[in-house]
Amino acid sequence: MEPRDLSAHTVYQAGRGIEEVARDLGLDPDDLVKLASNENPFGPSPAAVEAIRESAASASSYPKASHADLTEKLADRWSVAPEQVWLGNGGDGVLDYLARATLEPGDTVLVPEPGFAYYGMSARFHHGEVEEYHLSKADDFALTAETVLADYDDERIVYLTSPHNPTGKRFDLDAVEAIADRTGDDTLVVVDEAYAEFADGPSAVELVESRDDVAVLRTFSKVYGLAGVRLGYGIVPEEWADAYARVNTPFAASEIACRAGLAALDDDDHAEKTVETAAWAREYVYEHLNAPTWESHGNFVLAEVGDASEAADELQRRGVIVRDCTSFGLPKCVRITCGTEAETERAVAELNEVLSS
Ligand SMILES: Cc1ncc(COP(=O)(O)O)c(C=O)c1O
């Protein structure tokens, strides 16, 4: 007895953790800086930490009230009906719900290449097939309607990442609308806005108000610093509202996650500090790193450093962990998460030394 044929399924390659690297290199974890997974350098909002502490006592209950409260708060914030807010176990969980609600076995989805690996993984879990649209370095990884439509062939889901991981580029809202207009009636355009708080400009939620073929993904992992509790949400068209009850994994957004999310949403100071520091860090990297970079709208910067694996390994030996983008198909690039000022300055100084040696 064996699992089904999983040979087409890829393995998600997460950025390495501080403990893991410290153990491997015999270093003190406190001496390491991790700028590999686009996490929040300030940690969670203190209000969320307090809420997590307080919710420990209610961890024996299924999250019913907290789930409803958070859904309503988000619906209010985005001016949509509560049924249009799909909470999930991280943005990844929401991607699963969208695939589950959309795909029949053998349906095809269109994903960016390079891009976030989980779109294709989630589609395959749901017996879908995966095609790619190609972002070209020669074109500075530009995200236009043409970039996507050139490779579009009636796929059931088209994934757009804005701001994009790992390039930091973004789509204009007009481009998203053009893609939705020019794809078929049976194509859902999923706009992944995991990093949108770090960018200026309108959310594609605007389009959800008037269309039945655009859904938007958001997460608490980045600007709210709650990657460890796993909480994300989708904003779906009114017509899709009923599907949630049929596809969601019951209580996947936990009591602790929902309570933390509710508190984080009210902590504007933490979110503002995070966004401002990321904006400062992006500029610092463009200006001081002795390597070509791409303008980013996220909390990270892509840089071309030659042999990325070699550079990332050497940097790691010096105590700074960044993301080698070889697994994204960019073997000459690393992605550097925006850290605190001190972390960012250290990362740039160390990487400059690696590059000059
Ligand atoms: C583009 C993009 N989308 C979605 C996610 C999912 O985030 P989470 O599952 O932590 O909410 C990530 C995580 O890094 C991401 O980079």
Side-chain angles (χ1 to χ4, degrees), residues 275-351:
V275 169
E276 278 167 17
T277 305
W280 172 88
R282 288 187 309 229
E283 293 297 327
Y284 187 88
V285 175
Y286 307 149
E287 210 174 304
H288 296 279
L289 186 68
N290 297 330
T293 53
W294 284 268
E295 187 193 13
S296 168
H297 299 277
N299 64 341
F300 53 86
V301 176
L302 186 70
E304 189 170 36
V305 295
D307 185 326
S309 301
E310 222 174 76
D313 280 353
E314 179 52 29
L315 197 55
Q316 195 165 282
R317 278 191 285 276
R318 292 161 178 261
V320 179
I321 313 167
V322 297
R323 180 68 191 258
D324 166 11
C325 290
T326 303
S327 67
F328 281 100
L330 299 172
K332 292 185 173 169
C333 294
V334 295
R335 191 193 63 199
I336 308 162
T337 299
C338 297
T340 60
E341 293 191 8
E343 288 170 343
T344 305
E345 284 167 1
R346 177 172 163 202
V348 168
E350 295 286 2
L351 184 50

Side-chain angles (χ1 to χ4, degrees), residues 90-92 116 119 161 165 192 194-195 217 219 221-222 230-231:
D92 293 344
F116 184 54
Y119 307 139
T161 321
N165 177 12
D192 178 348
Y195 299 98
L217 180 78
T219 179
S221 295
K222 308 298 176 184
R230 313 302 302 127
L231 182 65

